[in-house]
């Protein structure tokens, strides 16, 4: 694996499968009475959040603590893009404090890449979401959830998502989740289709390794998993679509639409859900919807990423996965 | 008054000739000129002699941002790049929208002595696009302003643009438009296309530039005025200007050196040194711009020299300032992209970087032929030179060049402003 995790596109298939396999090992820790491993004892990890995201921060924090790391939470107030609050200054402060890894969330696309490549800091950088660019651990936890459900918990070990048909629906244009998922799912062998109104599909999408459709109803019967993306209400004022009602009618997921999906197919959502507009309560609460699982899986996947990037010299859990890590360095 | 003999230089890239400078003017051009009574002889065999370069688009930052550049440091950079005249853009603090501010800039240029500074006046008060500045007063001032621009911002109100175009006809002025439809570029960070889609940076569509150019050439036609398009950057813009010229519309256009060389692929580094307005475009656009400069659809090369202090670029992309310095590398980039590709000869370079910009900006004493009786504004270039760009040697106060470490051809060895050497052997005098 590379030294940093900035983009899902940085991961080879072997890297991605290794992370998912390692995450399966980590998931077992959650079933133990004491949910803690000594793996990163004495290592300091900083969660550097320039943009609010309680969910993602808590998930990383839980992962770090389960690996016995020391955790520093650094939340920068307001807009990071305003002057006098420089990413560089913060990075150098952390460097001086000797942190061993930085988990960064930033409203500016490319900020984690800058942090990792500008020589401001030496520690590994993990992107926890940057602007409309990437959110690689989200993609990993989504892939983990899909692999568990569509391939199997143990049967999935060592495997990708070959031939599985995954549909992403909604605001692709502004979605780092969409970008990361397209990259990772393609790497894992899945066939990805993006569904959105044309206004929410980026110019230049034709080079992405996926299909694009404007019709959800046509794609649903051929989907093994349907991931609903978040649509922010303010997009309406910017004329991306006429009304919430119309969006809902054409791209919302209700039970009638869910019925068009194959029986085994999953409904996914990165959360938080806008119930009513993008997904009906009925669908959100059905047992085909994996939202709650995705949250739990997020911790396991982030444990795996931290463990692998920080190159724990002792095995994370005594398993073949840990042994394979050593070979992969 | 000193006499200088330049020996054996290829005048405009042609046959070697001697050029005798006497005081402020060229006294003689010929072969085997005598060195009798000459104070300095410059052996220029193999070098190319050009008329002093003229930049229609420079940001000197003074008044207001003297931490980025001053008239003195900017004109030193200009001289080092082979320029003898620069037009200073109006987006200073305060904005150059009154006779007082343009006269101040003009006077600072005189005092610097490195390069003539011709101020550009703002089209609208405070560059706000709402109310015309006192265009006539700026023209009648000591600075004799003839070029007006809200550069950095687009004059997007069609009525204001129409009025400005009409108004400056009274004194032969020209409006230089920064073509950027504001609504189409809200939140824009880079060229809109496959790279922006991947990087998740706000897209700056080509049509935001092209729609304004299309509108403005039609306005210029309607009111019978003259419009100049700043830093044209897309293949589509070239097509519109070509069409407008074929229709007889009085439009001129400029391209920057960086748009002739660099593409949006470089933004993959997220290094803000590549962040510029208009943004770097695609390979296809770059090739169209080169062709258009060669065939005269684009009239001139202008640097859009935009100095910024280190801290404004040493940050994340979204927070960084837009712009690149360009005065000291422009000629080298033009040599690489236009001369060494066979698209333009040195006479063509003299036209695009001296004669034509002086004509568009109405500077009678610059962009003159290299012949007896003309003002001795000259630039001597060692075209065989090859070397990596080292910003540490820049005369500009700022170092935000996209070419750091990149090998570029050509080096200005001498620059003469009215017979006085401002650069000698590649070093500022
Ligand atoms: Zn401009």
């Amino acid at each position: 694996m590379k030294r940093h995790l900035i983009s899902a596109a940085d991961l080879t298939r072997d890297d991605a499968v290794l992370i998912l396999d390692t995450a399966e090992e980590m998931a077992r820790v959650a079933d133990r009475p004491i949910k803690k491993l000594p793996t990163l004892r004495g290592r300091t990890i900083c969660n550097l959040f320039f943009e609010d995201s309680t969910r993602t921060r808590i998930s990383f924090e839980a992962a770090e603590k389960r690996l016995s790391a020391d955790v520093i939470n650094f939340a920068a107030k307001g807009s990071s893009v305003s002057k006098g609050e420089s990413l560089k200054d913060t990075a150098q402060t952390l460097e001086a404090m000797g942190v061993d890894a930085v988990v960064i969330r930033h409203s500016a696309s490319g900020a984690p890449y800058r942090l990792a490549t500008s020589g401001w800091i030496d520690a590994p950088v993990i992107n926890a979401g940057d602007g409309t660019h990437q959110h690689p651990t989200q993609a990993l936890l989504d892939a983990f959830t899909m692999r568990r459900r569509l391939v199997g918990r143990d049967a999935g070990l060592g495997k990708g998502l070959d031939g599985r048909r995954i549909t992403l629906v909604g605001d692709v244009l502004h979605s780092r989740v969409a970008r990361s998922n397209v990259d990772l799912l393609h790497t894992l062998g899945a066939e990805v289709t993006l569904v959105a109104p044309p206004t929410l599909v980026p110019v230049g999408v034709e080079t992405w390794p996926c299909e694009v459709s404007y019709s959800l109803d046509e794609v649903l019967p051929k989907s093994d998993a349907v991931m609903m993306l978040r649509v922010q209400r303010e997009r309406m004022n910017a004329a991306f679509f006429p009304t919430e009602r119309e969006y809902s009618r054409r791209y919302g997921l209700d039970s009638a639409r869910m019925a068009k999906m194959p029986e085994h197919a999953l409904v996914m959502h990165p959360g938080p859900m806008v119930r009513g507009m993008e997904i009906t309560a009925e669908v959100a609460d059905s047992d085909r919807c994996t939202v709650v699982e995705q949250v739990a899986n997020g911790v396991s996947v982030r444990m795996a990423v931290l463990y692998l990037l920080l190159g724990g010299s002792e095995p994370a859990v005594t398993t073949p996965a840990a042994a394979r890590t050593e070979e992969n360095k | 008054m000193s006499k200088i003999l330049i020996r054996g230089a290829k005048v405009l890239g042609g046959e070697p000739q001697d050029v005798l400078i006497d005081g402020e003017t060229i006294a003689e051009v010929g072969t085997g000129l005598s060195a009798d009574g000459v104070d300095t002889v410059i052996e220029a065999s193999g070098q190319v002699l050009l008329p002093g370069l003229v930049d229609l688009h420079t940001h000197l930052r003074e008044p207001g941002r003297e931490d980025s550049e001053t008239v003195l440091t900017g004109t030193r950079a200009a001289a080092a790049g082979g320029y003898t005249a620069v037009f200073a853009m109006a987006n200073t603090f305060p904005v150059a929208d009154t006779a007082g501010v343009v006269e101040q800039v003009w006077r600072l240029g005189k005092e610097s002595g490195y390069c003539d500074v011709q101020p550009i006046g703002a089209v609208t008060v405070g560059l706000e696009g709402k109310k015309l500045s006192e265009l006539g007063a700026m023209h009648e001032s000591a600075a004799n302003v003839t070029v007006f621009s809200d550069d950095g911002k687009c004059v997007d109100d069609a009525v204001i643009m129409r009025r400005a175009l009409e108004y400056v006809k009274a004194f032969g002025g020209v409006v230089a438009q920064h073509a950027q439809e504001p609504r189409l570029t809200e939140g824009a960070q880079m060229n809109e296309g496959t790279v922006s889609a991947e990087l998740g940076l706000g897209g700056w569509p080509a049509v935001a530039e092209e729609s304004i150019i299309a509108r403005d050439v039609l306005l210029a036609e309607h009111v019978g005025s003259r419009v100049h398009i700043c830093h044209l950057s897309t293949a589509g813009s070239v097509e519109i200007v070509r069409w407008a010229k074929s229709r007889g519309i009085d439009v001129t256009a400029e391209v920057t050196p960086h748009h002739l060389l660099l593409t949006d692929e470089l933004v993959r580094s997220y290094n803000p040194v590549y962040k510029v307005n208009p943004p770097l475009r695609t390979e296809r656009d770059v090739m169209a711009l080169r062709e258009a400069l060669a065939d005269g659809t684009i009239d001139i090369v202008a640097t859009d020299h935009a100095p910024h202090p280190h801290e404004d670029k040493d940050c994340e992309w979204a927070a960084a300032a837009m712009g690149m310095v360009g005065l000291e590398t422009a000629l080298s980039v033009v040599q690489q992209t236009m001369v060494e590709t066979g698209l333009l000869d040195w006479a063509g370079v003299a036209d695009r970087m001296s004669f034509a910009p002086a004509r568009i900006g109405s500077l009678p004493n610059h962009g003159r032929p290299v012949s007896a009786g003309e003002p001795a504004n000259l630039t001597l270039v060692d075209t065989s030179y090859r070397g990596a760009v080292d910003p540490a040697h820049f005369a500009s106060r700022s170092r935000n060049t996209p070419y750091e470490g990149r090998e570029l051809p050509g080096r200005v060895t001498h620059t003469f402003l009215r017979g006085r050497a401002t650069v000698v052997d590649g070093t500022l005098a």
Side-chain angles (χ1 to χ4, degrees):
Chain A
M1 272 178 66
K2 292 193 172 185
R3 223 167 66 77
H4 309 284
L5 180 57
I6 305 298
S7 164
D10 296 342
L11 297 169
T12 63
R13 184 186 167 102
D14 284 352
D15 289 338
V17 170
L18 173 66
I19 293 169
L20 300 186
D21 288 357
T22 309
E24 282 291 358
E25 305 301 330
M26 298 299 183
R28 284 189 199 138
V29 177
D31 300 335
R32 295 181 182 176
I34 296 170
K35 299 177 177 48
K36 207 154 173 144
L37 294 171
T39 317
L40 296 181
R41 185 178 291 151
R43 315 290 284 274
T44 304
I45 300 174
C46 179
N47 299 320
L48 181 56
F49 276 56
F50 286 91
E51 185 185 70
D52 282 342
S53 173
T54 311
R55 295 160 57 96
T56 304
R57 187 184 50 74
I58 288 175
S59 179
F60 268 104
E61 196 172 339
E64 289 150 6
K65 288 183 168 163
R66 280 189 196 171
L67 292 170
S68 305
D70 295 323
V71 179
I72 301 171
N73 284 312
F74 184 104
K77 288 260 185 301
S79 165
S80 59
V81 180
S82 67
K83 267 225 159 164
E85 188 182 5
S86 133
L87 176 62
K88 182 185 175 185
D89 289 345
T90 310
Q92 288 177 338
T93 305
L94 296 177
E95 178 79 347
M97 293 185 339
V99 303
D100 296 295
V102 178
V103 173
I104 175 174
R105 170 77 156 231
H106 204 290
S107 60
S109 298
Y113 184 90
R114 280 290 276 167
L115 184 64
T117 57
S118 298
W120 299 334
I121 193 166
D122 222 23
V125 173
I126 297 164
N127 183 1
D130 62 327
T132 53
H133 178 222
Q134 282 274 333
H135 193 358
T137 58
Q138 175 73 42
L140 284 161
L141 77 86
D142 291 334
F144 183 83
T145 307
M146 287 179 224
R147 195 177 76 165
R148 273 195 158 185
R149 286 271 200 133
L150 298 173
V151 187
R153 207 172 159 138
D154 293 319
L157 287 175
K159 295 207 178 112
L161 287 164
D162 301 275
R164 300 307 197 282
R165 290 171 302 189
I166 318 294
T167 302
L168 275 61
V169 187
D171 186 359
V172 176
L173 181 64
H174 302 95
S175 175
R176 50 193 170 213
V177 175
R179 279 173 182 74
S180 318
N181 266 291
V182 168
D183 289 334
L184 184 68
L185 292 171
H186 171 73
T187 299
L188 289 169
E191 292 164 21
V192 183
T193 304
L194 301 174
V195 179
T199 46
L200 291 174
V201 176
V203 168
V205 76
E206 56 281 357
T207 60
W208 294 11
C210 61
E211 299 289 313
V212 176
S213 167
Y214 305 135
S215 166
L216 182 55
D217 290 308
E218 278 174 27
V219 179
L220 284 177
K222 299 174 283 184
S223 302
D224 295 308
V226 176
M227 186 185 302
M228 305 306 290
L229 301 168
R230 180 139 179 238
V231 179
Q232 291 177 341
R233 284 212 157 90
E234 55 264 35
R235 302 289 177 228
M236 223 174 67
N237 303 326
F240 286 102
F241 47 87
T243 62
E244 225 172 279
R245 279 311 309 152
E246 173 151 328
Y247 180 87
S248 198
R249 209 175 292 130
R250 294 175 63 85
Y251 299 101
L253 193 59
D254 57 12
S255 21
R257 281 215 165 98
M258 191 164 68
K260 295 183 180 176
M261 295 164 54
E263 235 164 85
H264 68 272
L266 320 176
V267 174
M268 305 183 70
H269 197 293
M273 289 183 280
V274 181
R275 288 174 188 241
M277 177 160 120
E278 53 199 40
I279 194 163
T280 61
E282 230 181 333
V283 175
D285 297 332
S286 84
D287 57 6
R288 293 167 76 169
C289 182
T290 60
V291 172
V292 178
E293 262 172 82
Q294 284 170 268
V295 173
N297 293 342
V299 177
S300 308
V301 159
R302 287 171 178 129
M303 287 172 76
V305 166
L306 288 162
Y307 167 71
L308 292 169
L309 280 185
L310 284 168
S313 50
E314 302 128 50
V317 189
T318 322
T319 68
R324 278 207 302 281
T325 315
E326 291 303 307
E327 285 163 28
N328 268 279
K329 276 193 200 143
Chain B
M1 279 291 154
S2 70
K3 281 191 179 183
I4 301 165
L5 180 63
I6 301 170
R7 230 186 221 147
K10 294 186 274 186
V11 177
L12 271 53
E15 289 304 308
Q17 291 194 291
D18 302 338
V19 175
L20 180 67
I21 300 171
D22 186 358
E24 297 192 354
T25 51
I26 297 170
E28 214 178 338
V29 179
T31 46
L33 297 188
S34 158
D36 285 355
V38 166
D39 304 284
T40 312
V41 176
I42 296 167
E43 296 296 345
S45 164
Q47 298 197 37
V48 170
L49 188 67
L50 297 173
L53 307 183
V54 176
D55 189 12
L56 197 65
H57 193 149
T58 304
H59 295 274
L60 291 178
R61 303 295 186 217
E62 190 176 3
R65 281 308 298 269
E66 290 82 357
D67 58 327
S68 315
E69 195 82 284
T70 63
V71 172
L72 180 60
T73 59
T75 52
R76 281 169 64 88
Y83 288 88
T84 52
V86 298
F87 285 73
M89 273 300 173
N91 63 338
T92 47
F93 305 97
V95 171
D97 57 4
T98 62
V101 179
V102 292
E103 280 190 356
Q104 180 196 358
V105 172
W106 176 78
R107 192 170 34 73
L108 286 167
K110 286 264 170 255
E111 287 166 7
S112 92
Y114 281 92
C115 185
D116 285 349
V117 174
Q118 181 55 39
I120 291 174
V123 178
T124 64
V125 174
L127 308 175
E128 282 173 357
K130 299 205 170 69
K131 195 173 173 297
L132 288 183
S133 307
E134 291 190 351
L135 306 173
M138 288 190 274
H139 177 69
E140 281 160 19
S141 75
N144 187 29
V145 175
T146 56
V147 181
F148 299 91
S149 181
D150 277 358
D151 182 59
K153 287 186 176 174
C154 181
V155 181
D156 69 302
D157 183 314
V159 172
I160 297 281
M161 187 61 184
R162 175 199 169 145
R163 299 285 182 244
L165 286 168
E166 286 179 306
Y167 194 82
V168 299
K169 281 203 292 184
F171 40 87
V174 62
V175 178
Q177 175 69 291
H178 172 121
Q180 179 187 356
E181 210 293 318
R183 286 278 282 144
L184 286 172
T185 50
E186 278 170 18
Q189 295 284 330
M190 69 173 296
N191 179 50
E192 182 167 78
T194 56
V195 182
S196 66
E198 201 179 308
L199 297 184
L201 288 172
W204 195 309
V207 66
E209 175 174 309
E210 293 155 4
S211 57
I212 293 290
I213 297 175
R215 182 199 75 176
D216 288 353
V217 296
L218 292 173
L219 282 174
E221 177 179 48
H222 182 63
V223 302
S225 191
R226 190 155 75 95
V227 67
H228 176 76
I229 310 299
C230 293
H231 41 54
L232 183 150
S233 73
T234 77
S237 298
V238 167
E239 288 308 310
I240 294 163
V241 171
R242 192 171 280 142
W243 170 83
K245 284 187 166 179
S246 75
R247 205 173 147 97
I249 297 171
D250 201 352
V251 56
T252 52
E254 71 190 33
V255 63
T256 72
H258 48 270
H259 287 108
L260 291 172
L261 180 60
L262 310 176
T263 71
D264 65 352
E265 288 292 329
L266 291 161
V267 182
R268 291 183 187 283
S269 66
Y270 284 107
N271 185 341
V273 79
Y274 300 115
K275 185 172 175 181
V276 66
N277 177 347
L280 299 177
R281 305 287 188 181
T282 67
E283 185 74 17
R284 182 177 151 265
D285 295 304
V286 166
M287 291 306 153
L289 295 171
R290 290 183 186 182
E291 291 289 339
L293 183 64
D295 72 21
T297 302
I298 295 176
D299 301 82
I300 64 168
V301 174
T303 66
D304 193 9
H305 176 78
H308 290 294
H310 181 68
E311 60 272 21
D312 287 4
K313 287 286 193 180
D314 193 28
C315 54
E316 56 274 30
W317 180 278
M322 288 184 285
M324 304 169 165
V325 292
L327 286 168
E328 292 170 80
T329 47
L331 191 57
S332 293
V333 174
V334 171
Q335 182 178 336
Q336 178 172 326
T337 57
M338 301 300 295
V339 180
E340 295 186 353
T341 52
L343 287 166
L344 212 56
D345 58 15
W346 285 106
V349 173
D351 179 67
R352 307 301 193 271
M353 298 184 78
S354 181
F355 300 145
R359 194 169 59 238
I360 294 166
S362 310
L363 269 193
N365 295 319
H366 287 273
R368 304 294 306 170
V370 180
S371 51
E374 295 288 351
N377 296 318
L378 296 166
T379 291
L380 195 55
V381 192
D382 176 3
T383 56
S384 64
Y385 175 87
R386 292 285 181 286
V389 175
D390 181 3
H393 294 139
F394 280 0
S396 174
R397 179 161 285 183
S398 294
R399 303 278 180 268
N400 51 304
T401 174
Y403 309 118
E404 179 168 9
R406 186 188 275 252
E407 184 167 295
L408 290 177
R411 173 171 166 267
V412 171
T413 61
H414 291 77
T415 307
F416 298 93
L417 176 62
R418 281 182 292 278
R420 196 176 69 76
T422 53
V423 173
V424 176
D425 292 328
T427 307
L428 283 163

